[in-house]
Amino acid sequence: LLISIVVNIVPLLITAGIMGWLGIRIKPSTVLVFSVALGITIDVTIRFLVNFKQELSWHDDSIAATVRRTIHDTGLSIIYTSLILIAGFGVFILSEFDGTKSLGYLTSMTLFLAMVTNLNLQPALLLWMDKIVVKKNSSADFLLDDEPEITDEGQPQE
């Protein structure tokens, strides 16, 4: 859940930063970008994570192998879907109305950034999570070792 939130918020933050850097004012047509792009990027993230979960049991819970296979299986469909949506919103750039024009290029840019983060940042965060979980489990292994029982006299029993 945390990984999907980070992956979906990063493109929106970058878009907001670019809007501020370019001096694009916040108005209804530019704020609409965030809700539209967030809805579409969540769909891409869910597609990736569902495939990841399905593949996980097939790869004996190996996160690295599962991430590799998930990128191989869903990566191309994510790219195609994103490019089609980018082109669809890119048509708005031809508009004479500035609100529609800004909606077109800001949404297209945000969808491109979302595609990049879903195919790069999300697998990296999943692999990082695997390392953290393995490290946490290995640091707690001493709790699983059988310790000798202490007798009433305070001496270890053999």
Side-chain angles (χ1 to χ4, degrees):
L1 178 64
L2 293 174
I3 289 173
S4 66
I5 290 171
V6 169
V7 168
N8 288 312
I9 294 297
V10 167
L12 300 177
L13 291 175
I14 293 172
T15 300
I18 290 173
M19 284 174 64
W21 186 55
L22 295 176
I24 299 172
R25 302 179 139 246
I26 294 181
K27 47 190 173 186
S29 60
T30 56
V31 171
L32 188 62
V33 169
F34 297 105
S35 60
V36 169
L38 182 63
I40 294 170
T41 59
I42 286 174
D43 177 58
V44 172
T45 303
I46 290 171
R47 181 181 313 149
F48 187 93
L49 290 175
V50 165
N51 195 358
F52 175 80
K53 186 172 178 173
Q54 289 172 345
E55 294 276 340
L56 191 59
S57 62
W58 297 343
H59 293 95
D60 298 325
D61 296 334
S62 169
I63 301 285
T66 306
V67 165
R68 193 175 310 111
R69 189 67 198 168
T70 303
I71 291 172
H72 183 266
D73 288 347
T74 62
L76 199 57
S77 70
I78 288 172
I79 291 170
Y80 285 153
T81 303
S82 297
L83 291 177
I84 289 168
L85 288 167
I86 289 167
F89 281 101
V91 171
F92 291 164
I93 297 171
L94 302 174
S95 173
E96 296 293 324
F97 181 61
D98 287 338
T100 305
K101 186 181 289 190
S102 62
L103 175 72
Y105 68 78
L106 288 172
T107 305
S108 295
M109 179 184 64
T110 307
L111 291 175
F112 177 77
L113 292 169
M115 176 185 67
V116 170
T117 58
N118 273 298
L119 293 175
N120 291 305
L121 183 62
Q122 187 169 18
L125 289 174
L126 287 169
L127 292 171
W128 174 75
M129 178 194 68
D130 182 41
K131 287 183 181 184
I132 296 297
V133 169
V134 168
K135 185 177 179 181
K136 184 178 178 182
N137 288 342
S138 66
S139 67
D141 283 346
F142 72 91
L143 296 173
L144 300 175
D145 291 339
D146 291 332
E147 294 184 21
E149 289 185 29
I150 306 294
T151 62
D152 291 335
E153 294 86 30
Q155 299 296 324
Q157 184 180 15
E158 295 182 27

